[in-house]
């Protein structure tokens, strides 16, 4: 069976990461959460008090960013490290979430992260999720999926996810943040979130988690043979 690249793009909070992780696990593929990379850079900029309107400061700050994924071989879970520090929980908090769309608009940030994402996927056998994976990072990916879900459903899911992580959250605030990010991610000049013409669209509003995973695994099976 040939190794392929599976690109999963879509709106914020429609279950891309959990779905992509599960697909990767079933295929014994690597899973790369590209959103976590944008979140880690955002945290770095917040820590460094980088002025987002000062391109020189952004360039200097980017030179000092080192992002790694550490996989726990025992249970397959993965955590992201920023300059040697585990920041997996911190990057999911509201402070980073409120600023990440602003940071991911910046051309220099995107260039640096797209180059890293391409290196990570160079050997194929990878599932990567994000906003521009099927359009910009891997335009020749063998399988492209575009996931969507109603705003209300996405907000509820994100609330439960944060609760499970022991973080406090407010439904209205989450809904506003998701709507704002949808708008910013879809209308930005650099690599906006759009469905690739050859992507398969899956609306997960009324799908059970296992159903969306099975659907993608079926599509992957067709491409691998
Ligand atoms: O998938 P996520 O919600 O963790 O992503 C966080 C933000 O990062 C999202 O609002 C937009 C940005 N992002 C991006 O611009 N391009 C990607 N490939 C992945 C994420």
């Amino acid at each position: 069976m040939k190794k392929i690249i599976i690109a999963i793009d879509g709106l914020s909070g429609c279950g891309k990461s959990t779905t992509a992780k599960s697909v990767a696990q079933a295929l014994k593929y690597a899973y790369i959460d590209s959103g976590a990379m944008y979140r880690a850079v955002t945290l770095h900029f917040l820590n460094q008090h980088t002025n987002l309107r000062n391109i020189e400061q952004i360039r200097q700050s980017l030179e000092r960013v080192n992002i790694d994924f550490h996989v726990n071989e025992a249970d397959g879970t993965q955590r992201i490290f920023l300059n040697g520090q585990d920041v997996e929980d911190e990057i999911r908090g509201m402070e980073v979430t409120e600023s990440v769309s602003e940071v991911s608009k910046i051309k220099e940030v995107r260039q640096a992260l797209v180059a890293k994402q391409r290196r990570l996927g160079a050997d194929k056998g990878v599932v990567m999720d994000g906003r521009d994976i099927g359009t910009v990072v891997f335009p020749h990916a063998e399988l492209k999926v575009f996931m969507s879900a109603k705003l209300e459903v996405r907000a509820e899911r994100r609330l439960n996810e944060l609760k499970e992580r022991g973080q406090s959250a407010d439904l209205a605030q989450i809904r506003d943040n998701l709507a704002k990010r949808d708008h910013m991610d879809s209308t930005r000049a650099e690599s906006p979130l759009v469905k690739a013409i050859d992507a398969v669209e899956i609306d997960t509003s009324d799908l059970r988690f296992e159903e969306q995973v099975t659907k993608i695994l079926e599509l992957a099976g067709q491409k691998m043979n």
Side-chain angles (χ1 to χ4, degrees):
M1 249 190 225
K2 82 172 179 194
K3 277 190 178 180
I4 63 168
I5 292 180
I6 303 177
I8 303 185
D9 290 304
L11 298 165
S12 299
C14 61
K16 294 188 302 288
S17 304
T18 34
T19 307
K21 238 179 259 175
S22 206
V23 168
Q25 214 171 15
L27 296 174
K28 299 200 168 38
Y29 273 23
Y31 162 63
I32 317 267
D33 177 353
S34 71
M37 297 167 79
Y38 286 93
R39 286 171 180 271
V41 169
T42 303
L43 177 62
H44 178 72
F45 284 1
L46 287 169
N47 290 343
Q48 302 273 310
H49 304 289
T50 307
N51 178 350
L52 299 186
R53 274 176 285 280
N54 183 329
I55 200 63
E56 230 3 85
Q57 266 192 36
I58 289 173
R59 287 202 183 110
Q60 283 173 14
S61 216
L62 275 174
E63 274 169 24
R64 294 193 295 268
V65 172
N66 205 342
I67 294 171
D68 290 307
F69 288 100
H70 291 211
V71 181
N72 179 337
E73 298 297 344
D75 62 7
T77 56
Q78 170 173 300
R79 299 184 71 83
I80 191 162
F81 280 62
L82 168 65
N83 297 336
Q85 285 236 317
D86 182 336
V87 293
E88 180 64 39
D89 297 320
E90 211 177 342
I91 60 162
R92 313 284 166 190
M94 258 333 202
E95 200 190 358
V96 169
T97 304
E98 292 282 3
S99 306
V100 66
S101 283
E102 202 58 43
V103 170
S104 50
K105 286 201 309 209
I106 302 168
K107 190 163 100 193
E108 284 73 10
V109 171
R110 302 206 72 83
Q111 281 170 343
L113 292 187
V114 167
K116 189 170 174 70
Q117 288 151 10
R118 287 188 178 143
R119 285 197 297 277
L120 290 170
D123 295 333
K124 300 210 174 186
V126 73
V127 183
M128 195 176 292
D129 78 318
R131 304 292 186 291
D132 60 342
I133 310 305
T135 49
V136 175
V137 182
F138 295 118
H140 303 297
E142 288 82 355
L143 175 60
K144 299 179 188 178
V145 174
F146 189 87
M147 285 176 61
S148 62
K150 291 186 194 111
L151 180 62
E152 212 47 53
V153 175
R154 290 186 280 136
E156 292 274 358
R157 287 182 188 159
R158 187 51 58 98
L159 180 72
N160 291 335
E161 200 181 289
L162 287 170
K163 275 190 189 157
E164 270 167 33
R165 285 174 186 269
Q167 294 176 10
S168 62
D170 170 67
L171 185 62
Q173 195 190 0
I174 295 176
R175 196 192 307 110
D176 289 352
N177 172 269
L178 286 173
K180 205 166 84 192
R181 284 203 289 144
D182 284 352
H183 179 72
M184 284 177 79
D185 295 345
S186 310
T187 55
R188 68 180 175 220
E190 282 299 320
S191 315
L193 169 68
V194 282
K195 176 180 166 298
I197 33 171
D198 49 350
V200 178
E201 183 157 3
I202 303 181
D203 183 335
T204 69
S205 306
D206 301 311
L207 283 185
R208 280 184 298 115
F209 178 69
E210 303 78 46
E211 290 175 318
Q212 62 210 41
V213 173
T214 306
K215 173 116 186 84
I216 297 175
L217 286 174
E218 270 168 24
L219 293 166
Q222 291 162 15
K223 301 288 179 183
M224 286 155 80
N225 283 311

